[in-house]
Amino acid sequence: MTRGRHVVVCGAGIIGLSAAYYLLERGHRVTIVERGAPGHDCCSLGNAGFISPSHFLPLAAPGVLVKALQWMRDPESPFYVHPRLDPGLIAWGFRFWRASNRTRAHRAGPLLRDLNLASRSLYEDLARSTGNEFGLQCRGLLVLVRSERGLEEEAELASRSRQLGMPSRVLGAEEIAALEPGVTLDVRGGVLYPLDAHLVPQQLVATLTRLVRERGGVFLWNAEVGGWRRRGDTLEAAVTGDGDIEGDEFVLAAGAWTPGVARQLGLGIPMQPGKGYSITLGAPRQLPQHSFILQEARVAITPMGSSLRVGGTMELAGYDLRINPPRIRGMTRSLSRYLPEFRPEDFASCRPWCGLRPCTPDGLPYVGRTRRWRNLIAAAGHAMMGISMGPITGKLVAEIVSGEPPSVELRALSPDRYG
């Protein structure tokens, strides 16, 4: 096993922090280069905090394009594409269409299961070693459904989950009410996925940042990578405004900004930034014990301490980080339909958050070495699953650098799979 390498990690989101943590565990030196400031708002901070073995269907799933076209007519819908003549978006959309078939989705299921279950186990280890600073709750996820057709579809997914070895229970409205006696619900039924968990993302980022510092990791803030120094098929240094950052190995974990950095190296790593929103109530009318997905609305609900976070939507609008008010209205109105004690006006004084999820055309992340550069490892493209897959991705990066066999088969995650 190789130890003592100097690894430069580009990006201080959940993936970059996880990679740094597991690299340091294996005795490597780590420098994290981050384009933002120390308090930077990475995509992980405002999300739902789900750890989701139940999410074994990739984003590019059968039927998703039909639903997306239907949603496009509604400004408050869960999905929207800003029409624009963008060759990158058009090429991504074509690849997404090709990937959205039953065969590919079926093939991706066991891999997504393994990645998420491995991460859940690593989170439990981390919670034990830190006194659970980041609020890990292993209570399961409730998918709530308001229509009979929706319940039939969820029952089919629950059956597939059990085929993959993950328990699930289809529940009626009364059974769900018994699990959540303190919450008023207007639902037809739903599915309980007991292996799912949730945490508080901002506390997780703070915990990992502290652990990386304590183990000797170095952070370089406000240091955007603008180029590379190279020799043959080897990278020698990342070039920033503050100088060249030399290293033995480089990890590309720049989230939605990964394609731009990759292009500097002649790499085609197709990805689109998918804007997601959240809004957090500090004193909610009711506080559930489980995390919820409001299935028809595609809205996520997470209890975080005494607060309640409501998140969702997928908006393909490039790198535009402006808040689109109809998206927020859509989420709060959906919440009121499923949880009728809540009112949209409850959120009037709350500040909405948005972040850019790094979305690949086939719904699988890029993890592994590139063919063109022998000391470059990609770790990006996790879309809505960055928190869920963070620890296993970091561990895989550390295994690759250390010359260990990877704990999960990486062929389907190759960063070269699109050329």
Side-chain angles (χ1 to χ4, degrees):
M1 183 173 69
T2 304
R3 289 188 180 272
R5 309 283 284 169
H6 180 208
V7 187
V8 178
V9 177
C10 301
I14 186 63
I15 303 299
L17 289 170
S18 296
Y21 175 77
Y22 288 103
L23 284 162
L24 289 162
E25 267 202 340
R26 281 165 169 74
H28 301 290
R29 292 189 300 123
V30 175
T31 300
I32 298 183
V33 181
E34 168 54 45
R35 66 194 294 274
H40 72 294
D41 188 4
C42 67
C43 181
S44 305
L45 290 181
N47 71 18
F50 284 5
I51 303 157
S52 302
S54 65
H55 283 42
F56 52 83
L57 274 182
L59 183 61
V64 71
L65 282 176
V66 174
K67 289 182 179 177
L69 290 173
Q70 294 169 347
W71 284 329
M72 283 286 290
R73 297 192 293 267
D74 181 359
E76 296 183 4
S77 72
F79 179 82
Y80 186 71
V81 179
H82 280 257
R84 60 193 189 278
L85 289 175
D86 179 348
L89 175 62
I90 294 168
W92 183 93
F94 176 72
R95 289 173 171 136
F96 185 89
W97 169 73
R98 291 192 62 186
S100 301
N101 62 71
R102 190 170 299 277
T103 300
R104 287 195 181 209
H106 191 85
R107 195 164 56 228
L111 175 57
L112 292 172
R113 171 202 63 196
D114 292 347
L115 290 167
N116 283 295
L117 287 176
S119 262
R120 186 186 190 278
S121 178
L122 293 169
Y123 273 125
E124 289 177 315
D125 293 342
L126 187 62
R128 281 190 291 269
S129 67
T130 62
N132 198 10
E133 295 177 359
F134 50 92
L136 178 67
Q137 299 292 330
C138 299
R139 295 175 179 164
L141 167 74
L142 277 170
V143 178
L144 304 180
V145 183
R146 298 190 76 235
S147 68
E148 192 61 40
R149 176 61 185 152
L151 192 55
E152 291 172 3
E153 292 176 352
E154 288 309 307
E156 289 178 14
L157 285 176
S159 175
R160 173 64 177 150
S161 174
R162 292 190 294 274
Q163 291 171 15
L164 289 169
M166 295 183 294
S168 63
R169 287 171 52 204
V170 179
L171 304 173
E174 292 183 358
E175 294 172 294
I176 292 174
L179 287 174
E180 287 288 352
V183 180
T184 305
L185 296 166
D186 183 6
V187 298
R188 181 68 59 90
V191 178
L192 172 66
Y193 291 98
L195 293 183
D196 281 34
H198 64 268
L199 50 77
V200 184
Q202 58 270 36
Q203 293 176 4
L204 173 65
V205 169
T207 296
L208 284 174
T209 301
R210 176 182 63 78
L211 291 173
V212 168
R213 279 205 182 99
E214 288 176 355
R215 285 156 175 73
V218 175
F219 287 88
L220 300 178
W221 304 105
N222 299 307
E224 186 167 1
V225 176
W228 299 84
R229 203 173 75 224
R230 52 198 113 177
R231 177 178 295 179
D233 63 353
T234 303
L235 301 178
E236 295 186 329
V239 178
T240 76
D242 294 328
D244 295 1
I245 315 301
E246 296 181 348
D248 302 310
E249 300 271 5
F250 295 84
V251 178
L252 185 51
W257 283 266
T258 295
V261 182
R263 278 194 296 272
Q264 298 169 0
L265 295 167
L267 298 175
I269 299 184
M271 194 184 295
Q272 281 293 310
K275 184 159 56 174
Y277 295 88
S278 75
I279 190 163
T280 305
L281 271 175
R285 294 171 182 262
Q286 298 175 332
L287 190 65
Q289 296 301 303
H290 299 78
S291 52
F292 295 162
I293 288 181
L294 314 183
Q295 185 56 16
E296 292 94 344
R298 300 298 194 271
V299 169
I301 310 293
T302 314
M304 296 184 177
S306 59
S307 299
L308 187 70
R309 179 163 294 172
V310 182
T313 81
M314 175 66 76
E315 187 177 347
L316 299 181
Y319 290 88
D320 181 357
L321 279 167
R322 290 175 295 182
I323 299 293
N324 189 347
R327 300 283 157 226
I328 304 298
R329 286 199 302 271
M331 292 194 305
T332 57
R333 287 177 180 175
S334 294
L335 177 66
S336 298
R337 287 192 288 270
Y338 289 77
L339 283 73
E341 288 297 309
F342 287 83
R343 300 285 183 271
E345 52 266 28
D346 293 348
F347 297 87
S349 61
C350 297
R351 183 180 179 183
W353 174 93
C354 71
L356 300 178
R357 311 179 185 105
C359 300
T360 65
D362 59 4
L364 296 176
Y366 300 114
V367 183
R369 289 196 183 279
T370 64
R371 284 193 300 266
R372 182 162 186 176
W373 304 102
R374 67 178 186 84
N375 62 337
L376 178 67
I377 298 164
H382 296 73
M384 298 90 71
M385 306 291 284
I387 289 283
S388 193
M389 296 188 200
I392 187 56
T393 303
K395 184 181 178 184
L396 287 166
V397 167
E399 289 169 345
I400 294 167
V401 170
S402 302
E404 302 172 27
S407 354
V408 176
E409 170 58 51
L410 295 177
R411 209 167 1 184
L413 307 181
S414 168
D416 297 312
R417 64 184 183 268
Y418 287 107

